[in-house]
Amino acid sequence: LYSNLIGGFMMILNLFLDGHTHDEVTGRKLWTLICLERLTSKYYNGNEDKMNFGRQEFLHHMVEFLSWDQSECKDCWSSWKEDSETNFDPNSVESNWMEILEVRRKELAEEW
């Protein structure tokens, strides 16, 4: 049953995305696909060079797709920072997710 529901939603999403590929005013692509599995080390069977290259390609693609300006910071997107793998449930009262987000925000502010 659930696979039929998911399949139906994917067909609806496919129809929508096929009908909305480019901005009518600017002509730019409105969306892009990203294979998140290719960002994990497991995908590269522990080959760190291939993993780093794949992640760099992803960053380059996203910077280009989103038209992020790099004129003031040429190396802002030149490296990848591993997540601390902190798992939390934002709906859990016990999980202090706002504190975790604040720590991550400060970490990013230090890098910029």
Side-chain angles (χ1 to χ4, degrees), residues 24-63:
E24 293 177 6
V25 176
T26 64
R28 288 191 41 156
K29 285 180 67 175
L30 290 173
W31 54 270
T32 189
L33 293 177
I34 300 167
C35 177
L36 294 179
E37 186 177 80
R38 295 186 84 176
L39 300 177
T40 65
S41 57
K42 186 171 96 175
Y43 179 82
Y44 298 98
N45 296 321
N47 186 323
E48 209 167 311
D49 290 335
K50 285 184 179 180
M51 179 184 68
N52 290 333
F53 181 77
R55 289 176 173 181
Q56 188 60 42
E57 288 293 304
F58 163 78
L59 289 173
H60 175 74
H61 174 74
M62 291 307 298
V63 166

Side-chain angles (χ1 to χ4, degrees), residues 12-101:
I12 293 169
L13 180 61
N14 181 47
L15 289 171
F16 176 81
L17 292 177
D18 281 349
H20 300 87
T21 57
H22 291 82
D23 186 301
E24 293 177 6
V25 176
T26 64
R28 288 191 41 156
K29 285 180 67 175
L30 290 173
W31 54 270
T32 189
L33 293 177
I34 300 167
C35 177
L36 294 179
E37 186 177 80
R38 295 186 84 176
L39 300 177
T40 65
S41 57
K42 186 171 96 175
Y43 179 82
Y44 298 98
N45 296 321
N47 186 323
E48 209 167 311
D49 290 335
K50 285 184 179 180
M51 179 184 68
N52 290 333
F53 181 77
R55 289 176 173 181
Q56 188 60 42
E57 288 293 304
F58 163 78
L59 289 173
H60 175 74
H61 174 74
M62 291 307 298
V63 166
E64 199 171 272
F65 177 76
L66 296 171
S67 299
W68 286 342
D69 181 22
Q70 289 187 279
S71 60
E72 293 182 22
C73 182
K74 298 277 185 221
D75 295 323
C76 283
W77 300 102
S78 62
S79 64
W80 185 276
K81 182 177 178 186
E82 288 292 334
D83 187 12
S84 63
E85 295 187 24
T86 304
N87 296 318
F88 63 93
D89 178 5
N91 297 316
S92 170
V93 175
E94 294 140 15
S95 175
N96 194 355
W97 59 274
M98 286 300 289
E99 186 176 311
I100 294 169
L101 291 176

